[in-house]
Amino acid sequence: MTKQTSNTHQPWEKYYGPNLGYVQEQYERYQEDPESVEPSYRELFESFGAPPQHQSSTASVSFETGGTAIDPQSLKKAVAASKLVWNIRTYGHLAADIDPIGLDEKPQVSFLEPKEVGLSEQDLASLPAALIWEDAPEGVSTGLDAIRKLREVYTGTTAYEFSHVHDEKERDWLNQRAELRAVDGGLTPEERKALLERLVQVEQFEEFLHRTFVGQKRFSIEGIDMLVPVMDELVRGFSKAGAEHVLMGMAHRGRLNVLAHVLGKPYGRIFSEFHHAPNKDLMPSEGSMGINFGWTGDVKYHLGEKREIGEQGKTRLTLANNPSHLEYVDPVVEGFARAAQEDRSQAGYPTQNTNSAAAILVHGDAAFPGEGVVAETLNFNQLPGYQNGGAVHIIANNRLGFTTESGDSRSTHYASDLAKGYEIPIVHVNADDPEACIAAVRLACEYRMMFKKDFVIDLIGYRRYGHNETDDPETTQPLIYKKVRAHDTAATIFSKKLQKDGVISETTLGELREKIVDVFKAEYEEMKNGKQASSNPFPFASSIDETPLELVKTSVELEKLRSINENLLKRPDTFNVYPKLERILERRATALDEGEKVDWGLAETLAFATILSDGTPIRISGQDVERATFAHRNLVLNDSQTGEKFCPLHALPEAKASFAIHNSPLSEASVIGFEYGYNVYSPQTMVIWEAQYGDFANAGQVLLDQFVMPGRSKWAQKSSLIMLLPHGYEGQGPEHSSARLERYLQLAGENNCTVVSLTSAAQYFHLLRKQAAMTTREDAKPLVVMSPKSLIRNPRVASSAAEFTEGSFQATIEQSGLGDAPERVTRVLMCSGKIAVELEDAIEKDADTDWSWLHILRIEQLYPFPAKEVSNFLEGFQNLEEIYWVQEEPHNMGAWRYIDPNIRDVAPKGVEVNYIGRPERSSPASGYQHVHTFEQQKIIQTALRQNQNTSKK
């Protein structure tokens, strides 16, 4: 097409006022980016150039495009038609047929009608289709054809929401793919038959359970039966794209069906879990695992499973275990996926291949907007330390949350609206249209491969029974369930469609149902006869190190430490360290010399370096971990002139594994879940999460209660996650004092974790190396560290080089300088953490006092309680009268209520056990410095006052 220059062919001459201004605005956008305007405008600007800045002529003109004369009135019609196309693409979802049982009133969508933009059908018929729809398929020749076809695409059983995606090229790609359905041949006859067979299988499985195990909970899939074929298709799509791992998370609804058909869990195993245990003393009556495995187990609809599929390059499927806290599995699965994608075998950051693993998360429609952890997890979408190339989110939308309807459970139009804030594309699809559901899945897979971002499929159905099968839903939703009872199942609807299309016959359908039910009956009989497949209690296999833990060496030779320390101080010649930080770091050069000391920060860095040199990869994350809240770590340096980053551990010659360090988003629950998931899926990696302040872990309490602490007991799920929780009373108020030590001690049981509060840098060094050695062991368990704040730079916490080159972690430490005359000791103080250092300081400042009556034992490891070490210590004092536990936390917090019975168990007969510390409080600490100082001094003075009868408060 050639540019027209004659005035008689200029289309702009009749335009003035707002119309001319609109065209001028479009031309300005066209100049910046031709792709930013509609194709019809691009064609006009390419042909006729720029519209004039001013125009007053009223002369009649016409112009030609492709040999067809178009007058200015036609141009106005083209502009209006383009606006109508935009309306259809943007708001067509409001008129879509995505409500299977007609619960919602149809919104007013008159803006999708031609008359709303000043057009008639005749006007549209006079325009060529290509003028308003650049990719119009064959057979769509006029503007009217185009509008009708686009309405068919955007208001059918699939509704598309892409307008919130800001990247225009990405949005155009999404629209183009959606519109390809207008010419796509859809599923082949064989694919349609296979889809029907799967739907019948899903339906009959639920009906068999319903008949066979009357009144038992199963949280059936019925009403969103297409969830199983949707997940099947996702797995196929990811596997074909090269994924070696597909990681899945979901709550209860439909879980048993997904386990059976997507994960391939044998029917017999599922049926056996419905049977009451023959010995209820050994097995939960509703549960699925006995304590003969060494763990208490969980109910059947919480359990995970694993499976391998594919003949070449097998794909490993994993469905995560999930408690009743619905959405809290989301970040765990995201962590699985990131761990599966990373190669940690080389120094530096791990190498990530997002094509090697993909995550699928199934959400409830009430939970998706209702639980904050969903938003936290969606925020991972593009974060460098947490993104995994895009998760596909499926909202299993049955329109109810327990008994609560949508109008009472969310403030948004759709359950999926939360995802708009993260620019995640959303497709709503009617769960009664199986072919539309499969098309949505294929779009999601293609999008993830293309853009490496999250995608949401809102699978809209209903719930055939109550929240669980013991619940009568008609007491709260009588009108809904009147519709549900009269509504055909998805399998029935689809089978009628296939019969109408001549794909199957009614006889074939009957035979299919009979064949499927016969399989269930046979499996059930085998189960009753004790022939069902056995359960695998350990869903995550890993290499096991059987070396006795006491033989694990944590000390490191001095020459190796010195070499590592020297290398840690090396930086590229052109790198400019912030001068103040440079001086601090350079002090570390002589820290291992005789007479010098290694502080907490350097001890940690040396531990990391030596662990990497042993070939164990490390991942550490949390708010500000690169520098650390208290600026003691500085493992990522920032060039003071260019802002470029450099991590000394990445350039360490001795490193034989990766070191990942990531500042986290300002959230705790999702990050704890992510790191736990990463560690479970990659048990050979030492994974660390650090709280900005210890009590910030409060916001992740569900993850601690439901995953980190009981995971092994409930699911045989092994984790060696380290949690660093800054703890210590320095007068900084209730939120910046206590890491809530008491909560972790309350969660401790069955040797499920280690809880420590340390008082020396060397202890921290040995503990980290010990934990790293445990990662591949069967007895691996989480480590909770009440890490220091002010003690980080306290000289009393620093350690000599000899303490790193000799010895190991000690569960208890005797206070040096005391206890030289055991027969004279009448009082023993036991304590941990900062208060122990303050007691040491007070004693040394009062050196003239006779302290022979006193001894102090630091309990560095609180759980498991070191009973043997404490008992051996106490045996040496024949005249002991009293033992006091000293803490800075209030009486009802800290370690006291946990440690009291443990001390009494090992205390010599007749020796009193009592408490020194703050009284009972509802808040952890005072917000006034002078009050804090007074209370702290009183605790120390009381503990060190001889013959003081301190009553238990």
Side-chain angles (χ1 to χ4, degrees), residues 219 249-253 255 301-302 321-331 361-368 370-371 373-374 401-402 467 702 706-707:
F219 298 96
M250 65 181 298
H252 312 334
R253 179 71 51 207
R255 191 179 187 92
Y301 37 78
H302 287 177
N321 301 293
N322 191 46
S324 290
H325 285 74
L326 302 175
E327 298 292 338
Y328 281 84
V329 77
D330 298 349
L361 293 173
V362 183
H363 309 269
D365 56 297
F368 192 83
E371 296 194 28
V373 73
V374 177
F402 206 151
H467 175 68
V702 171
Q706 301 297 333
F707 288 90

Side-chain angles (χ1 to χ4, degrees), residues 180-192:
L180 276 176
R181 283 201 66 201
V183 294
D184 185 7
L187 303 183
T188 66
E190 290 308 311
E191 287 176 323
R192 298 176 86 191

Side-chain angles (χ1 to χ4, degrees), residues 785-832:
V785 181
M786 298 289 109
S787 57
K789 299 189 309 184
S790 63
L791 291 190
I792 284 172
R793 294 176 176 83
N794 191 313
R796 294 187 180 278
V797 174
S799 303
S800 65
E803 294 175 85
F804 296 88
T805 60
E806 301 171 6
S808 59
F809 173 74
Q810 302 299 308
T812 62
I813 297 177
E814 293 187 42
Q815 176 62 52
S816 61
L818 297 179
D820 293 337
E823 70 282 357
R824 300 184 62 184
V825 173
T826 58
R827 176 186 295 180
V828 163
L829 302 179
M830 294 186 188
C831 52
S832 67

